[in-house]
Amino acid sequence: MKQPLRKDLEPVSASFTVKELMESHFDPNWHFHPHYQLFLVEEGTGTRFIGDSIKPFGPGDLVFLGPNLPHLWRSDQAYFDKQSGLKTKGIVVYFTGDFLGATFFEQQEMAPLRQLLGHARQGLEWTGPTRNRAAATLRQLAQQPITFERILNLLTLLNELSHATDYQYLTSAGYTNTVKPTETDRMQLVHDYVLGHFPDDLSLDKVADLAGMTSPAFCRYFKARANKTFSEFVSEVRIGHACKLLMNGKLSITQISFESGFRTLSNFNRQFKDITGQTPSTYVKTYRQF
């Protein structure tokens, strides 16, 4: 049986939770929970789904999510092959908005942190120098005993993130989670099918049938919950895969377009620019600057 969409974390006696994750692949279920989540990917590649955002991820990926924001770090298919020897590794911090008391973040001194927590409801990622400093602190937190100093280190990290400028929002400004916990299986089937078949000619009728709906009803259902049309979702999955192949640098742009499910190079170039704001060649040049 699939896990429920809403995740309730195991209760702990400490004020917040730090976990080191080391598995063959990250949790493949699209889910949300009432905790804030700060997550660093140390090993592994795949596609990251957060609200209505779809992007590739790799080592160094640093994301901060607010409560009840649906998310999924979907490892590349190779990680699900038991013979591959591939592993994923990450560090995750969970805490509630009142983990230091109901009014702690309402105090005047906490204004920058309060603003950070508000921004996290759209999802945040850091890609500049802040990411490297935060990663070092998270590794330290993962090794620390449950002491007062650990709380100070987390607050210091949150304070640094609240003053950093090298971040960007993940979801669109108007995104809200309208998915109900009882709809787990339906949305999970859609995600799994698209991620397993995006290089092919996807059939809307097939996906709608998997969801137990007519095609028009499925289109309305999907847009209401994903804040985008099904075709936009598929395009973003394909472009996310193309970004990973471009960063890998082993295939030509033409090869990548076909590997990602596009039948013409012109359509690939157009959709790539629509979604990323750059041409594939410019994207590669920008990536190699970092």
Side-chain angles (χ1 to χ4, degrees):
M1 181 180 291
K2 294 181 182 296
Q3 296 182 19
L5 186 65
R6 179 189 171 101
K7 265 192 173 180
D8 291 311
L9 303 180
E10 296 177 4
V12 294
S13 57
S15 56
F16 66 95
T17 301
V18 184
K19 289 185 176 182
E20 288 188 279
L21 308 177
M22 190 177 297
E23 301 288 347
S24 58
H25 54 76
F26 290 127
D27 182 355
N29 294 293
W30 170 249
H31 63 274
F32 63 88
H33 45 69
H35 295 71
Y36 287 89
Q37 173 176 328
L38 183 60
F39 183 45
L40 170 70
V41 175
E42 294 193 288
E43 293 182 28
T45 59
T47 302
R48 179 192 351 116
F49 300 81
I50 296 174
D52 59 358
S53 168
I54 304 173
K55 290 187 176 181
F57 73 81
D61 191 59
L62 178 67
V63 164
F64 187 34
L65 307 181
N68 300 319
L69 182 56
H71 53 274
L72 162 64
W73 275 259
R74 174 76 182 200
S75 300
D76 285 330
Q77 195 59 39
Y79 288 83
F80 292 87
D81 180 0
K82 295 181 179 179
Q83 306 303 317
S84 71
L86 295 171
K87 295 290 183 183
T88 61
K89 185 179 179 182
I91 300 174
V92 61
V93 176
Y94 297 108
F95 62 88
T96 60
D98 61 353
F99 81 108
L100 293 176
T103 63
F104 182 82
F105 288 108
E106 295 178 12
Q107 306 307 314
Q108 182 177 354
E109 299 91 338
M110 297 298 109
L113 272 66
R114 188 165 61 247
Q115 184 178 55
L116 173 70
L117 297 181
H119 292 335
R121 293 182 179 275
Q122 273 187 257
L124 298 169
E125 71 170 326
W126 288 265
T127 56
T130 302
R131 179 175 66 179
N132 298 329
R133 294 193 296 270
T137 302
L138 284 170
R139 294 185 185 103
Q140 183 181 3
L141 279 173
Q143 299 302 316
Q144 274 190 295
I146 301 175
T147 61
F148 179 69
E149 284 73 18
R150 193 176 77 143
I151 294 177
L152 288 181
N153 281 340
L154 176 60
L155 289 176
T156 300
L157 172 57
L158 293 176
N159 184 57
E160 180 174 359
L161 294 178
S162 74
H163 288 91
T165 57
D166 52 344
Y167 71 90
Q168 59 187 22
Y169 294 105
L170 295 177
T171 68
S172 58
Y175 176 80
T176 56
N177 176 19
T178 61
V179 180
K180 300 175 182 177
T182 54
E183 297 172 336
T184 304
D185 290 347
R186 181 177 288 169
M187 291 300 289
Q188 191 71 47
L189 281 170
V190 173
H191 275 85
D192 290 347
Y193 183 79
V194 172
L195 288 167
H197 297 84
F198 69 85
D200 308 322
D201 290 324
L202 285 172
S203 165
L204 175 60
D205 290 340
K206 170 66 174 178
V207 178
D209 186 58
L210 283 172
M213 298 173 141
T214 64
S215 294
F218 171 74
C219 288
R220 291 191 297 270
Y221 166 86
F222 190 88
K223 187 170 184 179
R225 284 149 183 81
N227 203 36
K228 64 186 69 180
T229 66
F230 178 69
S231 62
E232 289 170 339
F233 172 74
V234 172
S235 292
E236 291 187 22
V237 169
R238 287 171 169 167
I239 293 301
H241 182 69
C243 288
K244 288 184 289 187
L245 295 179
L246 285 167
M247 290 186 285
N248 187 268
K250 294 182 178 179
L251 300 176
S252 69
I253 290 176
T254 300
Q255 288 174 310
I256 288 171
S257 70
F258 284 99
E259 288 281 338
S260 302
F262 295 93
R263 296 298 168 254
T264 66
L265 183 59
S266 60
N267 186 35
F268 170 68
N269 287 331
R270 178 179 59 79
Q271 293 205 39
F272 193 96
K273 189 169 185 180
D274 286 345
I275 291 171
T276 68
Q278 299 176 302
T279 64
S281 57
T282 303
Y283 181 89
V284 171
K285 291 176 184 177
T286 302
Y287 171 74
R288 288 176 181 170
Q289 290 175 358
F290 295 97

